[in-house]
Amino acid sequence: MKKKIAIIGFGGMGSWHVNHAQKSDVLELAGIYDIDVEKQEKAKNLGIYSYSSLDELINDKSVELVTIAIPNDVHLDTVVRCLLGGKHVICEKPVALSSSDLEKMIEASKKSGKLFTVHQNRRFDVDYLAMQQLADSGEIGAPLRIESRIHGSRGIPSDWRGEKEHGGGMILDWGIHLIDQLMLIYKNEEIDTINCEVTNITNKEVDDGFYLTIKFKSGKVAFVEVGTYNFIALPRFYMKAEKGSALIVDWREKTKVAKCKYWHENDVLPVQTAAGLTKTMAPRDSVTLDTYELEIPKSDVHDFYRNFCQAIDGKATQLVTHDEMRLDMKIMEYAFKSAELGQTVKFEK
Ligand code: NAD
């Protein structure tokens, strides 16, 4: 049987969830709640029930779960009220603005016995899945360094995302997705240090981009870069692994793989450049290198809600666990700390 859901916040992402719920095979949309009267009217005009208050929504016993899609600084209060009010809760990312706020949410989840998770929908992006599957397969050995980048050129959005008090900035907005993805690929690694440098090109109040290096105790590296002032974009993903390299140029494209067949090469043809020649940097040929493309993985973002509904019924573990949420939050906190100090910081869980 479908589970009744209400969506809190009917802005950009709230509308996405409403749309999603209307098409879902596991959900039935009960209605929305938004503090903005215009959004309430918009919902009514679309034939969607609009709760007049959060209390009215919480008191609607037919609603089993809620998704919270409101600005980042107001997640805490709404998450806690909904959990203690008896609803299972999915909160949009970044779930909280600090580890201590996150602990308050987890505490409310434990106290109420209701499930609580965060909508890490980018676990369903096919570019990430391709990298994860390649790493898991061992096809080109273990990844030594993965670079994950998103480059845009429109600056930071001009709404609350540009304001510190609302939890704006790109570390919290996009960083959370890319950190979450890389930490799943490097799931068995222990973090040693974190270094982060932020940019403030179009916004002085919050970071409009950043460069984040996560070094693991094994020496492996995860690098995340988000830019909003890049008029030429660097590739989405680059992986340097034990036996080869992989590249995804654009997030809708196939992964290009180069797998080293033999390390040694007897007759290297040097590359002539304007100022000299080099054998060290000469490209390999097909005798020692296999190059090919991977099929784009299959993905269905509806599986996020399917999983959560199964978890409510005790038939699955929720996809995004509290420990994963804690780790992502800690990494962002250390990133802010490193950027503020202008130095690399030792990571402690
Ligand atoms: P938005 O500004 O478009 O919409 C926010 C809505 O929340 C507005 O309609 C506003 O009136 C309403 N609101 C504000 N405070 C409220 C409260 N206390 N109670 C009820 N309604 C309230 O913002 P958005 O882009 O939809 O972002 C909302 C959340 O979704 C953020 O946490 C953001 O990071 C997240 N988000 C996630 C993704 C994703 O891909 N997972 C994408 C975009 C946004």
Side-chain angles (χ1 to χ4, degrees), residues 51-277:
Y51 292 92
S52 58
S53 67
L54 188 58
D55 281 338
E56 193 210 342
L57 189 162
I58 288 173
N59 288 331
D60 182 346
K61 299 291 173 235
S62 73
V63 172
E64 255 188 278
L65 70 152
V66 297
T67 293
I68 298 173
I70 59 182
N72 302 338
D73 59 316
V74 280
H75 287 177
L76 174 61
D77 181 57
T78 312
V79 165
V80 170
R81 278 180 68 188
C82 289
L83 283 168
L84 297 181
K87 308 298 178 202
H88 300 287
V89 171
I90 296 167
C91 182
E92 260 305 341
K93 48 48 63 174
V95 64
L97 298 182
S98 67
S99 293
S100 62
D101 282 0
L102 175 58
E103 289 309 324
K104 288 176 195 155
M105 296 171 174
I106 293 172
E107 199 47 50
S109 161
K110 282 191 189 145
K111 198 170 162 189
S112 62
K114 296 292 162 185
L115 294 191
F116 164 56
T117 195
V118 56
H119 187 232
Q120 293 293 164
N121 51 323
R122 296 208 172 270
R123 291 188 180 193
F124 293 89
D125 261 343
V126 292
D127 51 357
Y128 152 68
L129 288 172
M131 281 285 143
Q132 190 210 30
Q133 287 168 16
L134 182 61
D136 278 359
S137 73
E139 201 171 309
I140 57 169
L144 304 172
R145 179 182 174 93
I146 305 176
E147 299 183 7
S148 170
R149 285 191 179 78
I150 294 285
H151 278 171
S153 62
R154 297 173 190 284
I156 197 164
S158 56
D159 54 13
W160 56 266
R161 279 177 190 75
E163 292 163 21
K164 198 173 169 59
E165 65 168 314
H166 297 302
M170 280 296 136
I171 292 180
L172 289 166
D173 195 41
W174 265 98
I176 178 64
H177 285 302
L178 306 192
I179 291 166
D180 183 65
Q181 292 176 342
L182 284 183
M183 290 314 297
L184 289 176
I185 299 179
Y186 279 122
K187 55 186 174 294
N188 299 321
E189 298 289 334
E190 254 187 88
I191 301 175
D192 187 19
T193 60
I194 300 246
N195 183 281
C196 184
E197 185 190 330
V198 299
T199 60
N200 294 96
I201 305 165
T202 59
N203 189 306
K204 303 293 171 213
E205 195 177 318
V206 295
D207 68 291
D208 57 17
F210 65 90
Y211 309 88
L212 169 68
T213 302
I214 303 170
K215 270 200 185 151
F216 299 102
K217 289 186 176 156
S218 62
K220 291 172 183 167
V221 172
F223 175 79
V224 179
E225 181 184 341
V226 173
T228 54
Y229 203 73
N230 297 74
F231 300 91
I232 296 175
L234 283 172
R236 170 72 188 91
F237 265 116
Y238 179 72
M239 181 195 288
K240 184 152 77 171
E242 288 169 331
K243 295 181 207 152
S245 309
L247 178 78
I248 302 178
V249 175
D250 183 273
W251 45 11
R252 290 157 291 241
E253 284 180 10
K254 289 182 177 176
T255 310
K256 297 180 199 324
V257 180
K259 183 174 177 177
C260 187
K261 288 193 285 187
Y262 307 105
W263 176 242
H264 291 292
E265 211 176 12
N266 294 330
D267 304 313
V268 180
L269 212 57
V271 172
Q272 301 280 350
T273 72
L277 59 84

Side-chain angles (χ1 to χ4, degrees), residues 296-307:
I296 292 177
K298 299 252 178 300
S299 170
D300 183 356
V301 73
H302 285 278
D303 285 343
F304 179 87
Y305 275 106
R306 290 186 188 119
N307 162 268

